[in-house]
Amino acid sequence: MMRKPPKYCQGFLDRHGRSRWYFRRPGFDRVALPGLPWSPEFMAAYEAATKGGVQTEGAGAAKTSPGTVAALVVSYYRSAEFLNLKPITQRTYRSTIEPFREQHGDKTVAKLKREHVKAIIAKLADRPAVANNRLKTIKILMRHAVETGMRPDDPTLGIRKLRTGSSGYRTWTEAEIQKYYDKHPTGSRARLALDLMLYTGQRRADVVRMGLQHLRDGVLTLRQSKTGTEVEIPLHPVLRASLDALPKKNMTFLLTEYGKPFAVAGFGNWFRDRVTEAGLPDGLSAHGLRKAACRRLAEAGCTGPQIMAISGHKNLKEVQTYIQAADRLGLAREALKRQLAADEERTKIVKPAGQV
């Protein structure tokens, strides 16, 4: 007998014969769910949907006045553009849209002017990354407002992002990786977590889904949850050793202390504690290991397409920075080698003629 799907979940077969599942809670917007009911990826998205759903009907709609920012947000959540996003991207968008709706939901969309947008961004100037995310949010909503006729123009056109002075998440160094290894030996969940990220170069949302079902003939095959890109990654011997130390009774590689698959946010918090246990500084994240994986590949002489085949990046520009950094390091080492040879030549003591 087939197990019933979780509450508020509905599915159907599309015209290609593929299963499509959605979370449809009365009074809330629809959320697409990946995979099949009760699978780890399905349940992680289901958990997020039950906690993060946004009201679009009933009581929520009754409080939303037509033409306001709140009404625009509701309209955007119902749009094909939003519903066709991957669940992980939907959650990311919500996390920036909801604070904006909370602060400006009662304001009229048609009256929003360029100077208003600039003032909103200016208030966040001390946090440029937050300011840029807020600007991105407003741009998305204003584009939807124009498309739906809520206003004739886009007041965000030409407004530039703030300089952050940061390259994003910090890349782990080799010394930091070794220090983590010294604390967490092979066979521990903490060691496996780092090896999965470092030797696959995947995002934490995909790492927590990895399991025996993705492994065949020494190759890890996975469709990325954010981009839909399918990657095929031959197992590195270090990662193979970590996996071989695991009991084979569970499909998912990484499990909580209760034997359940990690939620993405929960894994981030758990991994941060393991980093702290190793005596490493704040600021080292799971995403920093994805960058370290790309750095290592570049330093090994891999080309952009070769790195992209592992990491799943779709834009060559994103991986080119690692290649350029590796090239600079190689050139610097070659320069030092030549300098030392020249120094040795200059300091060589020439013995006087006839001296034995």
Side-chain angles (χ1 to χ4, degrees):
M1 182 177 178
M2 183 176 293
R3 190 177 181 185
K4 289 181 61 177
K7 191 174 182 181
Y8 301 127
C9 292
Q10 299 177 13
F12 67 93
L13 291 178
D14 65 15
R15 60 190 179 90
H16 301 293
R18 297 172 182 169
S19 295
R20 303 289 186 184
W21 285 88
Y22 294 92
F23 176 83
R24 291 177 178 270
R25 184 178 176 185
F28 286 71
D29 62 301
R30 184 179 71 166
V31 177
L33 300 173
L36 296 175
W38 305 109
S39 67
E41 56 189 349
F42 184 98
M43 296 310 298
Y46 174 76
E47 180 184 357
T50 57
K51 294 179 179 179
V54 179
Q55 285 187 305
T56 59
E57 301 171 359
K63 298 177 182 178
T64 301
S65 301
T68 60
V69 168
L72 174 62
V73 170
V74 170
S75 175
Y76 176 67
Y77 284 155
R78 291 172 171 171
S79 69
E81 177 185 346
F82 182 78
L83 294 176
N84 285 330
L85 295 173
K86 298 290 183 181
I88 187 173
T89 307
Q90 289 182 351
R91 293 196 295 273
T92 300
Y93 277 28
R94 289 181 195 278
S95 68
T96 58
I97 289 174
E98 286 308 306
F100 180 68
R101 171 159 77 161
E102 186 175 332
Q103 294 176 22
H104 305 283
D106 59 342
K107 296 173 183 175
T108 303
V109 173
K111 293 183 179 180
L112 184 66
K113 297 181 180 179
R114 180 183 175 85
E115 54 264 34
H116 297 150
V117 177
K118 295 184 74 172
I120 291 171
I121 303 306
K123 288 182 179 179
L124 300 170
D126 60 328
R127 293 175 292 163
V130 176
N132 289 337
N133 278 333
R134 181 60 54 85
L135 178 58
K136 179 181 178 181
T137 295
I138 300 174
K139 283 179 176 290
I140 291 171
L141 292 175
M142 290 304 105
R143 184 175 67 240
H144 182 70
V146 173
E147 291 173 351
T148 55
M150 291 185 72
R151 62 174 297 132
D153 60 342
D154 182 351
T156 68
L157 290 178
I159 299 180
R160 297 181 179 180
K161 296 193 299 183
L162 302 182
R163 292 180 179 272
T164 62
S166 169
S167 58
Y169 294 98
R170 184 163 77 79
T171 306
W172 286 55
T173 66
E174 292 304 312
E176 289 164 342
I177 292 170
Q178 186 57 53
K179 190 171 183 179
Y180 185 97
Y181 278 166
D182 291 342
K183 176 63 179 180
H184 303 294
T186 300
S188 65
R189 286 186 305 149
R191 174 64 172 265
L192 175 61
L194 185 134
D195 284 342
L196 281 170
M197 289 180 285
L198 187 60
Y199 290 104
T200 69
Q202 301 306 300
R203 302 174 183 87
R204 63 178 183 174
D206 294 317
V207 168
V208 297
R209 296 192 295 117
M210 290 179 182
L212 295 174
Q213 69 273 24
H214 298 116
L215 192 58
R216 180 175 297 178
D217 298 328
V219 176
L220 189 69
T221 303
L222 183 78
R223 187 170 297 279
Q224 294 181 327
S225 57
K226 181 177 180 178
T227 64
T229 301
E230 184 175 84
V231 292
E232 295 178 297
I233 308 168
L235 286 189
H236 189 283
V238 173
L239 176 56
R240 186 187 295 275
S242 284
L243 291 175
D244 287 345
L246 278 178
K248 300 297 188 293
K249 60 181 180 180
N250 299 307
M251 290 296 290
T252 305
F253 294 143
L254 286 173
L255 299 173
T256 68
E257 60 182 312
Y258 304 108
K260 302 293 183 182
F262 278 100
V264 178
F267 172 76
N269 294 332
W270 173 84
F271 184 71
R272 192 178 302 115
D273 290 341
R274 307 292 78 77
V275 172
T276 301
E277 284 177 356
L280 291 166
D282 293 339
L284 289 177
S285 66
H287 198 81
L289 285 168
R290 174 170 163 83
K291 298 178 75 171
C294 293
R295 170 184 59 77
R296 280 184 164 190
L297 291 169
E299 290 174 356
C302 296
T303 65
Q306 287 172 333
I307 296 173
M308 292 168 68
I310 298 291
S311 67
H313 282 101
K314 288 190 171 183
N315 188 341
L316 184 59
K317 183 179 179 181
E318 295 178 11
V319 300
Q320 192 63 34
T321 55
Y322 302 108
I323 297 173
Q324 290 172 346
D327 288 344
R328 286 195 299 271
L329 179 59
L331 290 171
R333 285 174 174 162
E334 183 62 27
L336 178 60
K337 182 179 178 181
R338 289 173 179 268
Q339 182 183 20
L340 292 174
D343 289 346
E344 183 179 353
E345 188 67 28
R346 279 195 299 268
T347 57
K348 194 178 292 182
I349 300 175
V350 180
K351 295 181 180 180
Q355 181 177 343
V356 178

